[in-house]
Amino acid sequence: MSLLPDGTGLVLDHWGAPVIGGVEPWSEPERVLSFVTPADVAPLEYASAGHRHTAFSELLVDRGDSRTGARFTCADPEAAGAVSFVIDGEDSILIVRFVDESGELTLTTRTSTSVAHDVVRRSATIENRSASRTITLPRVFSGGWALPVGQRARIDYLAGSWANEFHREHVELHWGTFSIGSRQGVTSLAFSPVVTVSALDDDSHAIAELGAYGIALEWSGCWRLQAESVAVGERLRVSCGVDDDTTTVTLLPGESFSAPDTVGLWSPAGPGGVSVGWHKYQRDYLARDLGEHHRPVVYNSWYATEFDVNVEQQLELARYAAELGAEVFVVDDGWFVGRVSDKAGLGDWTPDPAKFPDGLAALAQSVLDLKMRFGIWVEPEGVSEDSDLYRRHPEWVYQAAGRPLVTVRNQLVLDLGRDDVVAWVEDLLRRLLNSTPISYLKWDMNRSVSDGGRAGDPHGREWSVQHTRGYYRVLEMLRREFPGVTVEACSSGGGRIDNAVLARSDVVWTSDETGPVDRLGIQHGFLSAYPAHVMSSWVSDERGHHDRRDVSFEFRFTVAMAGVLGIGSDVTAWTPDQCVRAGELIARYKQIREIVHRGDVTVHGRPELPLYALEYSQTNEHTQSVCVIVYDRDRDRRRDTEAPRIRLSSLVADARYRIEGSDAIVTGAQAAVLGVDVPFALAADTDILVFHRLG
Ligand code: GLA
């Protein structure tokens, strides 16, 4: 990056393959400039309308008068506080402070890189320094990424809906704007705040030498991410931040606003390399640790009992779960007073004495006696109209402008932008965790916010920002005060999953779809942006909402073993043979768990094609272990007899590997070029192969 000679912005000189001999600072291309202003062409790191005129800007400023926008300058980079460059451990941080022409506003941009991972992190803060003027920001994005891919690019993104999240989709962008986002107060089931961008030639083929770029927004409220391609500048601009439809930021005199971080990475290895880069960052930087404690084998009773919970039946399930090898027993929805269906009870977080005559702590103790940890489901942001909490505090729910209340899943949402509501949520969780030996919390959020806002509050149009920060505050309190408690983040399945949630929770409930064939497709998309060590996945008896074909019992397990294995079936209804087999499979999972959670993953094929596989490779200082989970859902229905072989990519060519469970030894080159046999020893439609490097 360099500062423009007139100080009006930072520009991106180069981002991509290392250039021997160095890179010239960006300069204005003469030819183009005869018809466009310099600011509209410049690959600005952060653009403000008022400086830019026709191109997209990350910042819109409204001072309540006829002046549009703001023109920021870092006039004297040598002046105190204007530019600072700090090395903090593994991170290098560049902070540049700009002041607008009126002196009323400052813009501070922060860019950091790390030697520990390939991710560049950026943020922006705007401060209103005027003594008396209120300034509003109709758009205040986090930053723009002027990607040097030319005008034609492929954008890979994730899209879906309830029980159908994380499908890999792509567009080819040549002219115009592509935009995704959420206006729902949560990250959303529809889109994930992350894209992968690759350069295309005129025939729409990838220009492999240019690698690929991943851009993400670390935010769990309303958001928008857009890519814009125009003829000037030869750059594709990706901009993202808090959604500008639902949010207007108000800065009273003296106030400032910090936009959420946007992160990006470049990989020479194309989109697959971008996924590996994200996973490494999520493992080494975002996760508090990768140990088994916070990614245990869960038994969750939701599918077995739904709202019809009672202590005897939960204990019976717990006995089975312990026998199978589960490490935590989680009682899902339905344990608290009034919660006999999704129509009532949310907000009244007292164990139902009719269901637990001796209290919840008695069940928890019995679970501990079975050598498992105990966990519960909570939805602290939700409230039922039919609840004591709502009767006591109707003013705590969102009801913008006093319009009629709208319920979704029969519930309303508490306004976590209010300090008193956050304090109430914190107290409620402290009370639960201190009174009962709970060490696993599944935090759900089943209601998008359709009516956010707070009448009479100048900051009411920032409800989504405030709500999200309230949510983070509580998660951070849990980490600080209850470090042993594992948090599983959930929102009607995968409705609130992003890097910011990954930084504050341990695992995420990927989707309410547990039918194995559909689920495999969802996990395929999930793994392109998010890692296996957070991907909570249960074996259930469900068939799937879309693809209802039969697969083997083992296939159900290997789908869930691709991340953080859990069991959600009514295990008391399993046959004795199934129970024995499940116990064996859980034991097998515990053997490969470390490789799955810590390894780099390469995806082979697509779930709907024959021989889909996930190859996890974990390299320690002197050893390498590779685990390959193979799926072929129709194999036993096809007529082909040829022995299937799979070509692996993560083995070192001249190293030798022992294949677990056999005497066979292969070299990395053999495995890559000739492939290895898949014996389908585990079941007719799935297998697990493990390779250990020798010497
Ligand atoms: C949501 C979750 C499910 C389950 C139910 C309980 O749908 O995604 O896993 O917890 O709520 O009501």
Side-chain angles (χ1 to χ4, degrees), residues 245 363 512 542:
D245 271 3
L363 172 64
D512 277 351
E542 309 288 308

Side-chain angles (χ1 to χ4, degrees), residues 162 300 302-303 307 332-334 339 342 377 379 409 411 442 444-446 490-494 509 511-512 538:
W162 176 77
N300 180 302
W302 171 245
Y303 288 105
F307 295 102
D332 209 277
D333 201 348
R339 191 66 169 169
D342 64 13
W377 176 97
E379 187 177 346
R409 209 198 187 208
Q411 68 188 67
K442 179 177 168 195
D444 208 341
M445 162 60 159
N446 280 307
C490 173
S491 178
S492 313
W509 179 232
S511 175
D512 277 351
W538 311 336

Side-chain angles (χ1 to χ4, degrees), residues 279 283 290 292 295 531-533 561-563 588-602 614-620 623-629 650-651 658 660 688-693:
H279 293 175
R283 277 197 308 264
L290 296 171
E292 290 168 6
R295 37 213 94 253
H533 74 267
M561 284 154 97
R588 182 79 183 112
Y589 169 72
K590 288 177 181 170
Q591 291 165 349
I592 62 167
R593 168 160 57 182
E594 190 178 317
I595 313 175
V596 170
H597 291 174
R598 295 171 196 239
D600 287 338
V601 60
T602 310
L614 298 169
E615 177 180 347
Y616 301 85
S617 165
Q618 186 197 6
T619 307
N620 291 329
T623 61
Q624 184 195 11
S625 295
V626 175
C627 171
V628 187
I629 310 184
S650 61
L651 309 194
R658 180 174 60 79
E660 218 176 78
I688 298 174
L689 308 178
V690 178
F691 301 78
H692 296 288
R693 186 172 172 172

Side-chain angles (χ1 to χ4, degrees), residues 280-446:
K280 185 171 164 41
Y281 162 73
Q282 288 150 344
R283 277 197 308 264
D284 298 352
Y285 185 79
L286 297 186
R288 62 170 142 175
D289 67 49
L290 296 171
E292 290 168 6
H293 178 83
H294 288 306
R295 37 213 94 253
V297 177
V298 164
Y299 178 84
N300 180 302
S301 60
W302 171 245
Y303 288 105
T305 55
E306 294 208 345
F307 295 102
D308 185 20
V309 174
N310 68 58
V311 67
E312 290 82 23
Q313 138 253 67
Q314 295 297 311
L315 245 181
E316 179 70 350
L317 287 165
R319 283 192 205 99
Y320 272 76
E323 192 65 28
L324 294 173
E327 294 162 329
V328 184
F329 181 82
V330 180
V331 182
D332 209 277
D333 201 348
W335 58 266
F336 43 99
V337 276
R339 191 66 169 169
V340 287
S341 72
D342 64 13
K343 295 196 173 51
L346 269 189
D348 299 343
W349 299 102
T350 310
D352 187 342
K355 295 175 176 176
F356 302 100
D358 300 324
L360 194 61
L363 172 64
Q365 190 53 54
S366 309
V367 168
L368 300 191
D369 293 344
L370 289 165
K371 304 274 175 287
M372 290 184 295
R373 292 158 55 194
F374 181 68
I376 53 165
W377 176 97
V378 287
E379 187 177 346
E381 295 149 280
V383 62
S384 309
E385 274 178 294
D386 183 3
S387 68
D388 285 347
L389 180 70
Y390 182 66
R391 283 184 280 272
R392 244 186 2 259
H393 286 294
E395 77 285 6
W396 279 8
V397 304
Y398 286 113
Q399 190 182 6
R403 296 187 186 112
L405 288 170
V406 179
T407 55
V408 176
R409 209 198 187 208
N410 303 303
Q411 68 188 67
L412 304 165
V413 191
L414 293 179
D415 178 352
L416 253 61
R418 291 174 60 128
D419 284 343
D420 51 355
V421 176
V422 172
W424 175 85
V425 171
E426 290 188 328
D427 277 358
L428 139 80
L429 293 173
R430 283 193 189 103
R431 217 170 351 99
L432 276 170
L433 295 172
N434 286 328
S435 63
T436 310
I438 294 164
S439 64
Y440 192 102
L441 270 186
K442 179 177 168 195
W443 179 317
D444 208 341
M445 162 60 159
N446 280 307

Side-chain angles (χ1 to χ4, degrees), residues 549-596:
R549 83 189 68 186
D550 279 328
V551 291
S552 68
F553 190 65
E554 289 80 2
F555 190 109
R556 289 180 175 275
F557 269 84
T558 55
V559 170
M561 284 154 97
V564 182
L565 171 70
I567 310 293
S569 297
D570 179 0
V571 283
T572 61
W574 278 357
T575 65
D577 283 353
Q578 282 180 315
C579 288
V580 171
R581 189 63 175 144
E584 290 166 2
L585 291 162
I586 292 172
R588 182 79 183 112
Y589 169 72
K590 288 177 181 170
Q591 291 165 349
I592 62 167
R593 168 160 57 182
E594 190 178 317
I595 313 175
V596 170

